[in-house]
Amino acid sequence: MASEKRRIVVVGNGMVGHRLCQTLTDGPPSARAGLEIVAIGEEPRPAYDRVHLSEYFSGRSADDLLLADAGWYAARGIELVLADPVAAIDREACRVTTRSGRGFEYDALVLATGSSPFVPPLPGIEAPRVLVYRTIEDLERIDALASRSRTAAVIGGGLLGLEAAKALL
């Protein structure tokens, strides 16, 4: 890379990606002078507390769940890219490309992409009224649909399944 700074690209701006950005930028600005950090997230908002996601249904707003707003990233010199997930990684060129075509070279690449919800391969699972429970946007869709529905079914009896059923009540 042409720059003398070491560029770290963090793919994923969930709780882990946010914590890494925080750890890399804690301390005085002189300690991070040689770093350039780009955090790229798939979602349209900065990192938020997924552990307390169900509290959205008991009155907490999406903003209440934020771990840090965009200003926090800017104040630490972190370039925050939202709603534009990484679509390709070129390991030989040390470059990632986002869905919109933006490219970022890196010296170090961190994949902090989290997990995907398991959706059983059942007939009809792709229907528009079949939803997952993973993001704030998912909860907004559930809330909107539940407000005009009389019945619902929850598939999955794990922690999130039980929380989804409680929220629907």
Side-chain angles (χ1 to χ4, degrees):
M1 291 188 56
S3 172
E4 292 182 28
K5 289 188 173 191
R6 180 172 164 84
R7 179 180 273 183
I8 300 172
V9 172
V10 180
V11 178
N13 188 239
M15 294 177 76
V16 172
H18 170 265
R19 181 68 176 131
L20 175 62
C21 288
Q22 183 178 30
T23 300
L24 291 172
T25 58
D26 274 349
S30 60
R32 59 183 185 252
L35 286 181
E36 192 174 297
I37 302 168
V38 179
I40 304 172
E42 172 181 36
E43 294 183 57
R45 69 187 81 244
Y48 54 88
D49 184 353
R50 282 190 204 282
V51 174
H52 294 100
L53 199 56
S54 293
E55 293 176 17
Y56 176 85
F57 289 114
S58 53
R60 287 191 74 189
S61 71
D63 286 344
D64 292 336
L65 294 171
L66 283 180
L67 297 175
D69 63 16
W72 179 90
Y73 292 86
R76 290 171 174 248
I78 300 169
E79 182 177 353
L80 180 61
V81 178
L82 297 174
D84 195 12
V86 168
I89 299 172
D90 184 337
R91 291 175 41 200
E92 287 185 25
C94 294
R95 181 178 176 83
V96 299
T97 304
T98 66
R99 182 175 51 206
S100 73
R102 292 181 67 187
F104 299 91
E105 292 181 349
Y106 61 83
D107 295 300
L109 177 65
V110 178
L111 301 178
T113 55
S115 62
S116 298
F118 171 72
V119 178
L122 300 171
I125 205 74
E126 68 287 336
R129 293 172 60 101
V130 176
L131 308 170
V132 296
Y133 190 100
R134 183 177 161 265
T135 68
I136 288 175
E137 288 69 33
D138 295 335
L139 299 189
E140 289 171 345
R141 286 189 291 274
I142 290 168
D143 194 31
L145 192 57
S147 69
R148 58 184 196 269
S149 299
R150 292 179 43 89
T151 60
V154 175
I155 299 173
L159 178 61
L160 287 181
L162 294 174
E163 289 187 8
K166 179 183 174 190
L168 286 168
L169 281 175

